[in-house]
Amino acid sequence: MENVDKRVLKVLKIINSIGNFENSNNFLVDGLVDSLDIIRLITLLETEFEISINALDIVPENFDSIKNITKLIKQKIAIKQIYKWYHLTN
């Protein structure tokens, strides 16, 4: 399986194919994405990773860099795995 950050970058390139996401520490400040792009990004990430991103997670710092998006995705995947394990054992 591809690592998460490469998959995140692929999703970002769907939104902005010419954006230099790899060298940006803040996509919003650098103008690579706007608020509407974030909504689209969330939908694409949920589909790509088979996760749910809830309203409390939708804050700028979770979507401003590949590092922070990857961190959020890994947390969501871990929660999903724990949830599955719990329901299999109970």
Side-chain angles (χ1 to χ4, degrees):
M1 182 169 102
E2 285 182 84
N3 59 23
V4 174
D5 59 340
K6 286 183 181 176
R7 289 172 66 192
V8 167
L9 181 58
K10 279 185 178 180
V11 171
L12 288 165
K13 291 291 187 176
I14 292 170
I15 292 172
N16 180 346
S17 62
I18 61 171
N20 188 4
F21 293 101
E22 300 95 321
N23 294 319
S24 174
N25 291 319
N26 193 317
F27 303 153
L28 297 166
V29 171
D30 293 342
L32 298 174
V33 297
D34 60 24
S35 58
L36 294 177
D37 292 330
I38 295 295
I39 294 168
R40 186 168 177 222
L41 175 61
I42 290 166
T43 302
L44 291 169
L45 291 170
E46 288 179 327
T47 301
E48 174 70 21
F49 293 98
E50 299 178 359
I51 58 168
S52 294
I53 298 172
N54 63 48
L56 295 175
D57 295 319
I58 304 173
V59 293
E61 53 269 15
N62 281 340
F63 299 96
D64 64 359
S65 66
I66 292 174
K67 177 184 172 186
N68 288 341
I69 295 170
T70 298
K71 180 180 171 185
L72 176 66
I73 298 299
K74 287 180 178 181
Q75 289 172 347
K76 294 298 177 182
I77 290 170
I79 290 168
K80 181 179 168 184
Q81 290 171 339
I82 291 167
Y83 182 81
K84 281 184 179 179
W85 173 83
Y86 177 78
H87 286 286
L88 288 173
T89 59
N90 289 310

